[in-house]
Amino acid sequence: LETDTGEMKIVGIMRTLNDSLADAVIDEGHKVLWGRDYYNEEILGLKFKVKAFAFFQTNIDAVERLYSDVLDVVPDVSGKTVYDLYCGTGTISQLMASKAKDVYGIDIVEDSIEAARSNTELNGISNCHYICGDVKEKLDEIPEKPDVIVVDPPRKGCSQYVLEAIQTMAPQKLVYISCNVASLARDAKELENLGYHAVRAVPVDLF
């Protein structure tokens, strides 16, 4: 579905095969039955092309509140380098890019990174750089040290390697977006042990 002059319309119908027991959308084959395999969305003035298997929040009113809170936590990224880890389709990256010096996004889902790169072109953004792969394996490929890191990991949270890498890189600010309070509590405790201190928590109802 996508919005067209204030009204929702169906733009494609897809059949996905998934014989897994996991609580996840795993593409074991798919076919576009009608229309296209992507839809267009707009968040806080930026346009996004969302492919079928790219991670993207679908409650736009709620996600605009969430991303506005993120921007409020780090209001001044002028001239700074930002890492957007587990970046999905690059929504946070591109919202920060208007002020930041450079933004680097990493995500393991190829569809997400393809969409993120396409969206930077769609929005005329030149200072977002995206890497496809596991965060813990790709951090060393970024040529600049971060001033700010935003993490938005899957439900399992961040690996110990990533948390320790954050400590080593020593960003001035770290923003942790979580969809699982249990893994957030675990990671927050470990980050506290590594020298970071939580100063603000903002709950957002995405449902």
Side-chain angles (χ1 to χ4, degrees):
L1 294 171
E2 71 181 24
T3 302
D4 182 24
T5 63
E7 297 183 359
M8 298 296 291
K9 68 175 183 179
I10 297 174
V11 296
I13 299 174
M14 175 183 290
R15 182 184 67 186
T16 303
L17 303 179
N18 181 6
D19 196 32
S20 170
L21 297 177
D23 183 19
V25 178
I26 300 173
D27 181 18
E28 296 179 345
H30 64 273
K31 181 179 181 180
V32 177
L33 303 178
W34 175 83
R36 43 185 158 93
D37 65 347
Y38 70 91
Y39 69 96
N40 298 304
E41 192 56 86
E42 185 170 323
I43 294 179
L44 297 174
L46 292 180
K47 297 177 181 179
F48 295 94
K49 175 182 176 181
V50 186
K51 297 193 70 175
F53 296 99
F55 177 78
F56 195 85
Q57 296 286 0
T58 54
N59 185 334
I60 300 306
D61 289 340
V63 83
E64 286 192 331
R65 159 78 185 279
L66 170 63
Y67 292 158
S68 294
D69 286 336
V70 171
L71 296 174
D72 186 48
V73 170
V74 280
D76 184 15
V77 292
S78 300
K80 295 180 179 178
T81 299
V82 179
Y83 285 11
D84 182 11
L85 306 183
Y86 315 96
C87 66
T89 52
T91 45
I92 294 174
S93 314
Q94 292 172 59
L95 288 168
M96 290 191 163
S98 63
K99 294 182 180 178
K101 173 176 170 283
D102 284 294
V103 185
Y104 294 89
I106 303 176
D107 200 282
I108 199 169
V109 179
E110 188 174 347
D111 264 6
S112 290
I113 291 299
E114 287 181 4
R117 289 171 176 157
S118 176
N119 291 332
T120 59
E121 295 180 10
L122 186 64
N123 289 302
I125 296 171
S126 60
N127 59 334
C128 280
H129 318 281
Y130 294 104
I131 300 171
C132 186
D134 193 320
V135 169
K136 68 180 181 181
E137 297 174 359
K138 296 295 182 177
L139 280 171
D140 291 341
E141 294 186 14
I142 302 178
E144 301 179 72
K145 293 294 184 182
D147 300 298
V148 176
I149 292 181
V150 179
V151 297
D152 188 1
R155 293 184 62 80
K156 65 182 179 180
C158 298
S159 70
Q160 182 67 24
Y161 179 91
V162 171
L163 297 177
E164 291 177 357
I166 289 172
Q167 179 198 35
T168 300
M169 293 182 290
Q172 298 166 8
K173 286 193 175 183
L174 169 66
V175 182
Y176 192 126
I177 302 170
S178 174
C179 59
N180 183 355
V181 68
S183 56
L184 169 63
R186 181 202 67 211
D187 290 353
K189 181 178 180 181
E190 183 58 27
L191 285 166
E192 187 84 17
N193 294 336
L194 294 173
Y196 281 88
H197 306 287
V199 294
R200 184 179 176 186
V202 180
V204 178
D205 185 356
L206 288 169
F207 300 99

